[in-house]
Amino acid sequence: MEIKYSKNKIELEKELNALDKLAIKISTILNKQDIKHVIVSGYICILFGRSRSSENIDIIIEKIGPEKFEKLWKETKNKELHCINAQKPKEAYNEYLTTGVAIRLSKKDEFIPNIEMKFPKNELDAWTLKQRKQVLLNSHKLFIPPWNYKYHSNSSSEAKKTSRTQNTSTTLSKTN
Amino acid sequence: MKTPKIDLKEIKKMKKQNFKERLKFIDKYTEWLKKTKNKKWSRQQKKIINK
């Protein structure tokens, strides 16, 4: 694995899969809208080589006001990403995001893979967003949790495996 | 129809063994990833994910 890393940034070139492309798409939109965000959970392991797929890409975005969200809504529609679980921006904002429920975005007429987007729900989410690190994936800017991030919210064996793989990714970045 | 007898103890043991094997596999896969060119591993990964 060829990977460049520094304190706050990792650079990686790879053949992009469908999930990488979706992650790049949403990150580009959020970067353009100047919305602080961080991708978390399973996709991080996939980004660094785990051979598994995922139905969704989890992303935490900073709390934004309804007007800024409306702009984001329009931009996602322009880029052909549609909300699966809400029809209108007001519904998505008031009934989902601000009540702690994620909205799901996907390409038109597709359910998977989708982007699960939410506001920070707890201290860990807020910390992850604040401490985020940059990944340049084929020169596209993505944000991921700090290198030593672990998932504590779920104690299932799958979560343990995920956590382990993520740490493995960290090891890779340190040893290459 | 007669249902097979299920030995919960045996299943628990098998689960533990499978998990151990899974972790071993992850370590081996990681070693392989470390020494393999990005182009090669990401092409294989793409095949699985884009299915």
PDB file of all heavy atoms in Angstrom, chain B residues 4-7 17 19-20 24-25 37 39 43 51:
ATOM      1  N   PRO B   4     -33.981 -30.784  14.297  1.00  0.00           N
ATOM      2  CA  PRO B   4     -32.722 -31.307  14.852  1.00  0.00           C
ATOM      3  C   PRO B   4     -32.452 -30.766  16.252  1.00  0.00           C
ATOM      4  O   PRO B   4     -32.902 -29.679  16.597  1.00  0.00           O
ATOM      5  CB  PRO B   4     -31.673 -30.799  13.869  1.00  0.00           C
ATOM      6  CG  PRO B   4     -32.278 -29.621  13.213  1.00  0.00           C
ATOM      7  CD  PRO B   4     -33.752 -29.836  13.207  1.00  0.00           C
ATOM      8  N   LYS B   5     -31.731 -31.566  17.017  1.00  0.00           N
ATOM      9  CA  LYS B   5     -31.359 -31.120  18.361  1.00  0.00           C
ATOM     10  C   LYS B   5     -30.288 -30.043  18.235  1.00  0.00           C
ATOM     11  O   LYS B   5     -29.339 -30.189  17.454  1.00  0.00           O
ATOM     12  CB  LYS B   5     -30.807 -32.297  19.160  1.00  0.00           C
ATOM     13  CG  LYS B   5     -31.865 -33.008  19.944  1.00  0.00           C
ATOM     14  CD  LYS B   5     -31.206 -33.982  20.922  1.00  0.00           C
ATOM     15  CE  LYS B   5     -32.247 -34.717  21.724  1.00  0.00           C
ATOM     16  NZ  LYS B   5     -31.626 -35.717  22.599  1.00  0.00           N
ATOM     17  N   ILE B   6     -30.459 -29.010  18.990  1.00  0.00           N
ATOM     18  CA  ILE B   6     -29.463 -27.935  18.924  1.00  0.00           C
ATOM     19  C   ILE B   6     -28.687 -27.884  20.232  1.00  0.00           C
ATOM     20  O   ILE B   6     -29.268 -27.731  21.313  1.00  0.00           O
ATOM     21  CB  ILE B   6     -30.130 -26.568  18.633  1.00  0.00           C
ATOM     22  CG1 ILE B   6     -30.790 -26.610  17.251  1.00  0.00           C
ATOM     23  CG2 ILE B   6     -29.117 -25.429  18.694  1.00  0.00           C
ATOM     24  CD1 ILE B   6     -31.690 -25.444  16.946  1.00  0.00           C
ATOM     25  N   ASP B   7     -27.383 -28.053  20.091  1.00  0.00           N
ATOM     26  CA  ASP B   7     -26.513 -27.996  21.263  1.00  0.00           C
ATOM     27  C   ASP B   7     -25.985 -26.558  21.394  1.00  0.00           C
ATOM     28  O   ASP B   7     -25.077 -26.144  20.672  1.00  0.00           O
ATOM     29  CB  ASP B   7     -25.347 -28.986  21.081  1.00  0.00           C
ATOM     30  CG  ASP B   7     -24.474 -29.066  22.323  1.00  0.00           C
ATOM     31  OD1 ASP B   7     -24.553 -28.151  23.164  1.00  0.00           O
ATOM     32  OD2 ASP B   7     -23.711 -30.043  22.433  1.00  0.00           O
ATOM     33  N   GLN B  17     -14.749 -19.964  17.919  1.00  0.00           N
ATOM     34  CA  GLN B  17     -13.707 -20.412  16.977  1.00  0.00           C
ATOM     35  C   GLN B  17     -13.756 -19.594  15.684  1.00  0.00           C
ATOM     36  O   GLN B  17     -12.719 -19.186  15.166  1.00  0.00           O
ATOM     37  CB  GLN B  17     -13.906 -21.890  16.641  1.00  0.00           C
ATOM     38  CG  GLN B  17     -13.308 -22.824  17.681  1.00  0.00           C
ATOM     39  CD  GLN B  17     -13.640 -24.274  17.364  1.00  0.00           C
ATOM     40  OE1 GLN B  17     -14.616 -24.561  16.661  1.00  0.00           O
ATOM     41  NE2 GLN B  17     -12.872 -25.193  17.907  1.00  0.00           N
ATOM     42  N   PHE B  19     -14.917 -16.616  15.252  1.00  0.00           N
ATOM     43  CA  PHE B  19     -14.485 -15.246  15.496  1.00  0.00           C
ATOM     44  C   PHE B  19     -12.955 -15.171  15.531  1.00  0.00           C
ATOM     45  O   PHE B  19     -12.344 -14.258  14.959  1.00  0.00           O
ATOM     46  CB  PHE B  19     -15.093 -14.736  16.810  1.00  0.00           C
ATOM     47  CG  PHE B  19     -14.798 -13.284  17.072  1.00  0.00           C
ATOM     48  CD1 PHE B  19     -15.291 -12.304  16.213  1.00  0.00           C
ATOM     49  CD2 PHE B  19     -14.030 -12.888  18.149  1.00  0.00           C
ATOM     50  CE1 PHE B  19     -15.023 -10.956  16.434  1.00  0.00           C
ATOM     51  CE2 PHE B  19     -13.752 -11.554  18.375  1.00  0.00           C
ATOM     52  CZ  PHE B  19     -14.253 -10.582  17.527  1.00  0.00           C
ATOM     53  N   LYS B  20     -12.349 -16.177  16.180  1.00  0.00           N
ATOM     54  CA  LYS B  20     -10.886 -16.252  16.265  1.00  0.00           C
ATOM     55  C   LYS B  20     -10.282 -16.349  14.862  1.00  0.00           C
ATOM     56  O   LYS B  20      -9.310 -15.660  14.528  1.00  0.00           O
ATOM     57  CB  LYS B  20     -10.501 -17.501  17.077  1.00  0.00           C
ATOM     58  CG  LYS B  20      -9.391 -17.257  18.061  1.00  0.00           C
ATOM     59  CD  LYS B  20      -9.222 -18.509  18.888  1.00  0.00           C
ATOM     60  CE  LYS B  20      -7.885 -18.543  19.567  1.00  0.00           C
ATOM     61  NZ  LYS B  20      -7.689 -19.775  20.312  1.00  0.00           N
ATOM     62  N   LYS B  24      -7.840 -13.733  12.706  1.00  0.00           N
ATOM     63  CA  LYS B  24      -6.596 -14.201  12.091  1.00  0.00           C
ATOM     64  C   LYS B  24      -6.577 -13.811  10.611  1.00  0.00           C
ATOM     65  O   LYS B  24      -5.563 -13.361  10.084  1.00  0.00           O
ATOM     66  CB  LYS B  24      -6.511 -15.736  12.216  1.00  0.00           C
ATOM     67  CG  LYS B  24      -5.261 -16.204  12.915  1.00  0.00           C
ATOM     68  CD  LYS B  24      -5.282 -17.715  12.979  1.00  0.00           C
ATOM     69  CE  LYS B  24      -4.038 -18.239  13.628  1.00  0.00           C
ATOM     70  NZ  LYS B  24      -4.073 -19.688  13.747  1.00  0.00           N
ATOM     71  N   PHE B  25      -7.722 -14.015   9.968  1.00  0.00           N
ATOM     72  CA  PHE B  25      -7.835 -13.670   8.548  1.00  0.00           C
ATOM     73  C   PHE B  25      -7.598 -12.177   8.349  1.00  0.00           C
ATOM     74  O   PHE B  25      -6.889 -11.768   7.430  1.00  0.00           O
ATOM     75  CB  PHE B  25      -9.218 -14.069   7.993  1.00  0.00           C
ATOM     76  CG  PHE B  25      -9.497 -13.476   6.651  1.00  0.00           C
ATOM     77  CD1 PHE B  25      -8.882 -14.003   5.509  1.00  0.00           C
ATOM     78  CD2 PHE B  25     -10.330 -12.370   6.506  1.00  0.00           C
ATOM     79  CE1 PHE B  25      -9.107 -13.431   4.259  1.00  0.00           C
ATOM     80  CE2 PHE B  25     -10.554 -11.798   5.259  1.00  0.00           C
ATOM     81  CZ  PHE B  25      -9.940 -12.335   4.135  1.00  0.00           C
ATOM     82  N   LYS B  37       0.504  -3.202  -4.026  1.00  0.00           N
ATOM     83  CA  LYS B  37       0.300  -1.898  -4.659  1.00  0.00           C
ATOM     84  C   LYS B  37      -1.180  -1.509  -4.587  1.00  0.00           C
ATOM     85  O   LYS B  37      -2.059  -2.363  -4.759  1.00  0.00           O
ATOM     86  CB  LYS B  37       0.730  -1.965  -6.127  1.00  0.00           C
ATOM     87  CG  LYS B  37       2.215  -2.238  -6.312  1.00  0.00           C
ATOM     88  CD  LYS B  37       2.918  -0.945  -6.655  1.00  0.00           C
ATOM     89  CE  LYS B  37       4.403  -1.197  -6.872  1.00  0.00           C
ATOM     90  NZ  LYS B  37       5.199   0.003  -6.703  1.00  0.00           N
ATOM     91  N   LYS B  39      -3.053  -0.072  -6.676  1.00  0.00           N
ATOM     92  CA  LYS B  39      -3.791  -0.393  -7.902  1.00  0.00           C
ATOM     93  C   LYS B  39      -4.338  -1.830  -7.837  1.00  0.00           C
ATOM     94  O   LYS B  39      -5.471  -2.088  -8.245  1.00  0.00           O
ATOM     95  CB  LYS B  39      -2.861  -0.225  -9.101  1.00  0.00           C
ATOM     96  CG  LYS B  39      -3.590   0.150 -10.361  1.00  0.00           C
ATOM     97  CD  LYS B  39      -2.628   0.453 -11.482  1.00  0.00           C
ATOM     98  CE  LYS B  39      -3.424   0.747 -12.738  1.00  0.00           C
ATOM     99  NZ  LYS B  39      -2.558   1.038 -13.866  1.00  0.00           N
ATOM    100  N   ARG B  43      -8.382  -2.624  -7.051  1.00  0.00           N
ATOM    101  CA  ARG B  43      -9.106  -3.235  -8.181  1.00  0.00           C
ATOM    102  C   ARG B  43      -9.924  -4.435  -7.675  1.00  0.00           C
ATOM    103  O   ARG B  43     -11.070  -4.632  -8.063  1.00  0.00           O
ATOM    104  CB  ARG B  43      -8.107  -3.671  -9.260  1.00  0.00           C
ATOM    105  CG  ARG B  43      -8.789  -4.214 -10.502  1.00  0.00           C
ATOM    106  CD  ARG B  43      -7.823  -4.365 -11.639  1.00  0.00           C
ATOM    107  NE  ARG B  43      -7.380  -3.067 -12.114  1.00  0.00           N
ATOM    108  CZ  ARG B  43      -6.320  -2.882 -12.909  1.00  0.00           C
ATOM    109  NH1 ARG B  43      -5.592  -3.917 -13.280  1.00  0.00           N
ATOM    110  NH2 ARG B  43      -6.007  -1.688 -13.328  1.00  0.00           N
ATOM    111  N   LYS B  51     -20.365  -4.926  -7.238  1.00  0.00           N
ATOM    112  CA  LYS B  51     -21.184  -6.076  -7.681  1.00  0.00           C
ATOM    113  C   LYS B  51     -22.647  -5.708  -7.807  1.00  0.00           C
ATOM    114  O   LYS B  51     -23.192  -5.066  -6.916  1.00  0.00           O
ATOM    115  CB  LYS B  51     -21.048  -7.217  -6.661  1.00  0.00           C
ATOM    116  CG  LYS B  51     -20.310  -8.389  -7.221  1.00  0.00           C
ATOM    117  CD  LYS B  51     -20.287  -9.505  -6.190  1.00  0.00           C
ATOM    118  CE  LYS B  51     -19.208 -10.510  -6.529  1.00  0.00           C
ATOM    119  NZ  LYS B  51     -19.041 -11.506  -5.470  1.00  0.00           N
TER     120      LYS B  51
END
